[in-house]
Amino acid sequence: MPVSRMVDTTGPRVMLAQLRRVMAQRLSTQDRLDQIVDLIARNMAAEVCSAYLINSKTELELFATKGLNPDAVHKTRLQVGEGLVGTVAANEQVLNLSDAPTHPNFAYRPETGEDLYTSFLGVPIQRGGRVLGVLVVQNQTHRHYAEDDEEALHTVAMVLAEMIVSREIIGRDDNAGISNGNGGFDPGVPVHCEGVAFADGLAIGTVVLHQLRIKAAQWIAEDIDAEIVRLDTGIEELKDSIDRILQSMDVDLVGESKDVLETYRMFAHDEGWLDRMRDAIASGLTAEAAVEKVQMDMRQRLGRVPDPYLRERLNDLDDLANRLLRHLIGDVEMTSLPDNAIVIARDMGPAELLDYDRSKLAGVVLEEGSATSHATIVANALEIPLVGRVKGVVDQVEPGDRFVVDGESGIVHIRPSADVEKAYSNRISLRAEQQAQFSALKDEPAITLDGKNITLNINAGLLIDLPHLEETGASGIGLFRTELQFMVRSTLPRLKEQTDFYRRVLDSVEDHPVVFRTVDLGSDKVLPYLDSEPEENPALGWRSLRLALDRPGLLRYQIRALLAAASGRELRIMFPLVAEVAEYEEARALVNVEVERMERRGGKKPSNILVGTMLEVPSLAWQLDALLPRVDFVSVGSNDLVQFFFACDRSNPRLTDRYDALSPAILALLRHVAERAEHHNVPLSLCGEMAGKPIEAMALLGLGYRAISMSPASVGPVKRMVRHLPLEPLKECMKSLTGSGDHSVRRALEQFAMEHNVPI
Ligand code: PEP
Ligand code: MG
């Protein structure tokens, strides 16, 4: 197979072949590094080649050099960011200078004898986004290093990085100071790291690396032609497997990942991607190393791009590259998934998470991720803990390591000690016991001690959420976040797809009511395929219903799909982020337009259409007498309501404890809403996070709320509270609390609960 474009691959190929020979010899670490810099210098016609590696003090230490003063080895040290070498490490980027001394960061180190050299080419030695050192070549002349030189040095640096991490260069007994850039990581030692808890739960299990890791020995090709054939075969298998999955897609969950796979198919046929991998093989790498290199280059180029669309594409490509590696390595079926697998990844898309056998998956840990990322949404729906933002975790684990994920606190334990594992296994048993008690309540009514019926609903948004309705014994779905369906896809769902999806939801819930909230996009709910301009205050910006009313096509399509799906059945539609009655009216008019359209076309309408609004902008609370006669129901979105009420970003972790949802001010507002709704005889619910916490839920009942909607895991604890609650005494108690000037009435409510034996 010919190499696709004119790239001079002879240099790196010869260099890698020599590198392989050096690696095959039994040498001390220093001799090995000396030979490596020597062979690089010779092959690149450079007078100097030096390897600086990060030592245990996180300094860049000159470990080996060909050309500089040998006495400077292990003596010259630079901080990351200091001098040209430090700049390469800090920026994680190549520095190619024909006149290095004129660069503002140039720092002369007399002991090295560097003053003779004018040109400088430095590349980071990097692995998994972590800088392990810098590789430099220098010449006396004003040499303009060509792109091919950069590429060659880069390729060798990548192989070196693998060798360092797998300790084929720096052995455990040599150079005790070296940290491998992992902050002293030593396999076998227990470590715990802090991340952010994105999906609740606890798990103990065995590490599975999501992104396959190629061993150092698998990097350098023996036979280039054979590697090209392997790559091409791998790609053909990959394409076939994607086609096969797409053709056989009838399973429930796959509906949510189908679109992502369509995108993969597109990428898998992209000649540019394939050519870059073939070029990498031609430069001396194996097929799997070529996949890894092209992906690393891509991450390097796109990784810092803030554009969410490009970042999503990068994730798609990462995923595709990983699938290709599985074909090359022969682990396509992920057969080796152990019981209680803890999957560790840099980042992960929703489809990838759904690919894992759910009966074996116990937890997920990511280096990236966010509260609203798609993987988080899916993990919550699957009820497995997910901890994100754990820095460098991928490089600190080996497949098969024991691992604890604490999705309550956001802490993870790598290779936990026996004590830690025991403590967690006790906590897991305790949770399971409680869960069993809650499940036993599933068919019991949610009724207070004084006989008041309370409606407990669940919040949902994906097909995988639907079984929770039956499992929890909830009355219905009080909030169906339709935007989640838009978010887990990579293109806008078409009308038919939306209709099919809503129909499946309605089919699945049978007679239970479902409140479909129309798309609530913008702010933290970003669609990679929808253009959006950066805003100074996105939470207050062009989002949600504002966006929908300005682009009514999207909303009308959604309403059309909902009407068609509900044909002959009851349909409940709710609008998000309504700030004034006029906005509600405008949105409702669109429902009327679509109903008339349906009538004109002779479509079978829903048996009953109820239209309501969320109350999550404080301004709406002061228009209730105008609003309530126009709506069929109202649901308070306390997450946004509290955020706007206190002018306090709901997703800023520093502000989490600043204000309390049990502050007298919020409770007074919520009481006002409950009183007006009762006066107008309009059904009222609350569907923010408050509803799912027993003490907050208790306060809501004390204020007059009789329906609340929460995440499925909360139904058990809240129902237990309801069944022990004397409502009348609570109402009395709360009368005195809402007028107080305290920061919070939490203490007083805890006191009430204790006195009346209410489990909260
Ligand atoms: C809310 O704001 O309380 C709410 C339920 O909506 P979301 O969390 O989806 O913004
Ligand atoms: Mg909201």
Side-chain angles (χ1 to χ4, degrees):
M1 178 80 47
V3 175
S4 48
R5 59 188 166 88
M6 290 306 291
V7 179
D8 181 7
T9 52
T10 347
R13 195 161 60 214
V14 173
M15 225 170 3
L16 288 178
Q18 293 177 1
L19 193 57
R20 171 201 280 285
R21 281 197 287 278
V22 172
M23 297 316 297
Q25 293 170 34
R26 286 183 71 83
L27 294 170
S28 73
T29 294
Q30 191 62 52
D31 287 348
R32 188 168 283 185
L33 269 176
D34 288 346
Q35 292 214 17
I36 291 173
V37 290
D38 188 65
L39 76 87
I40 298 171
R42 264 188 290 116
N43 278 284
M44 294 189 67
E47 282 131 11
V48 172
C49 176
S50 311
Y52 294 81
L53 303 183
I54 302 257
N55 65 19
S56 57
K57 297 195 183 115
T58 57
E59 302 157 327
L60 287 154
E61 179 174 319
L62 180 63
F63 260 70
T65 183
K66 161 74 186 171
L68 295 185
N69 182 0
D71 291 341
V73 170
H74 297 302
K75 295 209 180 76
T76 294
R77 297 193 178 104
L78 296 146
Q79 298 300 320
V80 171
E82 184 188 356
L84 299 181
V85 172
T87 304
V88 172
N91 297 346
E92 299 176 26
Q93 263 169 11
V94 177
L95 201 55
N96 183 350
L97 305 166
S98 60
D99 192 2
T102 58
H103 190 280
N105 291 7
F106 181 78
Y108 173 54
R109 287 301 180 88
E111 76 275 10
T112 59
E114 226 176 349
D115 50 334
L116 297 173
Y117 305 101
T118 313
S119 48
F120 173 103
L121 173 62
V123 300
I125 302 172
Q126 222 174 351
R127 185 178 183 273
R130 183 174 293 258
V131 176
L132 306 175
V134 174
L135 197 56
V136 177
V137 292
Q138 290 172 284
N139 283 80
Q140 290 189 9
T141 52
H142 285 270
R143 175 171 169 184
H144 293 273
Y145 297 101
E147 212 177 298
D148 288 344
D149 294 322
E150 278 187 21
E151 192 62 25
L153 198 60
H154 195 63
T155 304
V156 179
M158 228 171 55
V159 179
L160 262 181
E162 282 309 313
M163 291 172 171
I164 292 170
V165 171
S166 59
R167 301 184 173 225
E168 290 185 28
I169 285 194
I170 313 287
R172 206 186 272 236
D173 29 67
D174 304 306
N175 295 295
I178 193 81
S179 76
N180 275 350
N182 286 322
F185 155 55
D186 184 1
V189 172
V191 183
H192 77 271
C193 309
E194 250 175 75
V196 183
F198 291 134
D200 186 37
L202 301 173
I204 305 176
T206 307
V207 166
V208 171
L209 282 177
H210 178 62
Q211 276 97 6
L212 291 181
R213 186 179 287 168
I214 312 167
K215 298 197 183 77
Q218 293 169 306
W219 274 77
I220 307 175
E222 272 179 58
D223 177 345
I224 305 266
D225 292 339
E227 293 299 326
I228 298 264
V229 171
R230 282 187 65 225
L231 176 75
D232 288 342
T233 313
I235 286 168
E236 282 317 310
E237 285 174 11
L238 172 75
K239 287 182 191 167
D240 285 351
S241 73
I242 294 177
D243 287 347
R244 269 199 310 277
I245 306 175
L246 279 166
Q247 276 156 17
S248 65
M249 278 191 136
D250 48 10
V251 202
D252 278 11
L253 308 174
V254 187
E256 271 143 14
S257 48
K258 178 162 178 159
D259 226 68
V260 179
L261 283 167
E262 292 279 7
T263 317
Y264 295 160
R265 176 152 67 177
M266 202 178 77
F267 281 129
H269 287 261
D270 180 79
E271 279 302 319
W273 186 57
L274 306 183
D275 284 350
R276 282 192 293 279
M277 289 189 291
R278 289 189 190 121
D279 288 347
I281 294 179
S283 74
L285 296 177
T286 59
E288 45 273 62
V291 177
E292 179 78 21
K293 174 174 188 295
V294 168
Q295 207 44 29
M296 271 191 202
D297 290 349
M298 191 82 77
R299 238 179 269 131
Q300 181 88 19
R301 261 182 289 139
L302 292 184
R304 294 163 183 218
V305 176
D307 182 338
Y309 179 80
L310 284 180
R311 291 190 62 86
E312 278 292 321
R313 294 290 71 77
L314 183 63
N315 282 341
D316 284 346
L317 269 175
D318 257 339
D319 188 17
L320 189 66
N322 206 39
R323 277 171 195 262
L324 180 52
L325 280 181
R326 286 192 190 281
H327 281 276
L328 288 168
I329 294 170
D331 185 21
V332 183
E333 303 296 332
M334 301 204 252
T335 40
S336 47
L337 200 67
D339 285 339
N340 291 321
I342 310 283
V343 173
I344 316 270
R346 269 187 291 274
D347 203 356
M348 206 191 280
E352 300 167 84
L353 189 47
L354 289 168
D355 265 353
Y356 283 98
D357 175 351
R358 270 173 295 152
S359 66
K360 296 194 165 173
L361 189 62
V364 179
V365 176
L366 304 177
E367 292 192 352
E368 297 183 15
S370 73
T372 49
S373 80
H374 306 168
T376 301
I377 293 165
V378 172
N380 271 309
L382 293 175
E383 296 185 307
I384 53 169
L386 185 150
V387 173
R389 310 241 180 101
V390 186
K391 264 183 113 184
V393 66
V394 171
D395 286 334
Q396 299 202 48
V397 293
E398 291 297 327
D401 277 349
R402 297 290 291 166
F403 202 102
V404 170
V405 188
D406 184 340
E408 291 176 358
S409 67
I411 288 176
V412 300
H413 297 265
I414 306 170
R415 300 173 290 276
S417 64
D419 289 352
V420 169
E421 199 167 323
K422 179 100 189 41
Y424 272 96
S425 87
N426 289 344
R427 276 175 63 188
I428 289 173
S429 315
L430 206 72
R431 266 179 84 109
E433 256 170 52
Q434 279 183 343
Q435 224 45 57
Q437 286 170 13
F438 296 141
S439 304
L441 286 181
K442 153 175 145 18
D443 297 320
E444 302 297 326
I447 191 161
T448 64
L449 286 183
D450 29 22
K452 273 272 179 275
N453 259 312
I454 308 296
T455 305
L456 302 183
N457 288 321
I458 57 164
N459 296 344
L462 295 172
L463 292 176
I464 40 178
D465 287 320
L466 299 175
H468 296 317
L469 188 56
E470 162 69 23
E471 285 158 20
T472 56
S475 307
I477 299 180
L479 167 66
F480 195 94
R481 292 181 162 106
T482 60
E483 64 277 2
L484 299 194
Q485 184 58 21
F486 287 65
M487 286 166 70
V488 294
R489 301 169 53 105
S490 50
T491 54
L492 200 68
R494 291 185 289 265
L495 179 66
K496 176 164 181 332
E497 289 162 326
Q498 288 189 49
T499 311
D500 289 347
F501 176 70
Y502 302 136
R503 189 174 291 130
R504 286 178 76 169
V505 176
L506 287 166
D507 290 347
S508 133
V509 301
E510 297 175 350
D511 292 335
H512 298 279
V514 185
V515 177
F516 288 99
R517 178 176 72 183
T518 59
V519 279
D520 183 21
L521 293 169
S523 189
D524 56 340
K525 296 169 184 162
V526 183
L527 286 191
Y529 45 86
L530 211 68
D531 276 346
S532 57
E533 281 172 23
E535 293 180 290
E536 216 156 294
N537 295 301
L540 306 177
W542 192 61
R543 56 172 288 208
S544 196
L545 191 68
R546 300 161 188 184
L547 186 156
L549 291 176
D550 286 354
R551 297 261 186 286
L554 187 74
L555 183 54
R556 280 188 57 182
Y557 256 56
Q558 188 179 27
I559 296 169
R560 197 173 298 171
L562 285 165
L563 289 169
S567 165
R569 303 182 267 204
E570 181 181 86
L571 174 64
R572 299 181 187 212
I573 300 179
M574 174 164 77
F575 302 119
L577 210 84
V578 173
E580 54 177 18
V581 176
E583 274 178 349
Y584 170 76
E585 290 281 36
E586 200 180 333
R588 181 159 195 150
L590 294 180
V591 176
N592 296 344
V593 169
E594 285 302 320
V595 171
E596 281 158 23
R597 180 181 181 279
M598 193 175 201
E599 279 168 350
R600 274 201 313 278
R601 295 175 169 238
K604 186 169 177 205
K605 288 194 305 182
S607 56
N608 186 20
I609 303 173
L610 299 172
V611 184
T613 173
M614 292 198 71
L615 194 157
E616 44 187 356
V617 184
S619 58
L620 202 61
W622 310 112
Q623 304 162 64
L624 288 173
D625 290 331
L627 175 79
L628 291 167
R630 294 168 156 94
V631 297
D632 296 314
F633 60 89
V634 169
S635 187
V636 177
S638 56
N639 305 339
D640 276 315
L641 185 66
V642 172
Q643 145 165 281
F644 298 130
F645 190 68
F646 280 123
C648 180
D649 186 344
R650 69 190 251 189
S651 53
N652 185 336
R654 288 195 180 178
L655 296 173
T656 312
D657 298 324
R658 165 59 55 180
Y659 305 104
D660 193 347
L662 291 181
S663 80
I666 279 283
L667 296 181
L669 175 69
L670 291 173
R671 182 193 289 285
H672 164 73
V673 175
E675 281 170 2
R676 296 327 297 154
E678 191 181 0
H679 176 82
H680 288 276
N681 202 17
V682 170
L684 173 69
S685 159
L686 185 142
C687 59
E689 292 304 308
M690 259 185 106
K693 298 178 186 147
I695 187 166
E696 271 96 332
M698 183 179 87
L700 292 170
L701 304 187
L703 295 175
Y705 288 72
R706 295 291 170 266
I708 46 181
S709 191
M710 63 204 78
S711 60
S714 296
V715 174
V718 171
K719 191 188 269 186
R720 185 178 62 174
M721 177 277 292
V722 170
R723 291 174 56 83
H724 287 82
L725 182 69
L727 192 56
E728 287 309 317
L730 174 68
K731 276 163 61 179
E732 275 312 304
C733 161
M734 289 210 57
K735 268 187 200 151
S736 59
L737 296 179
T738 41
S740 92
D742 296 339
H743 164 70
S744 163
V745 300
R746 187 170 295 273
R747 276 278 151 73
L749 287 172
E750 281 168 356
Q751 183 71 26
F752 175 89
M754 214 167 67
E755 281 165 12
H756 294 83
N757 290 323
V758 185
I760 48 168

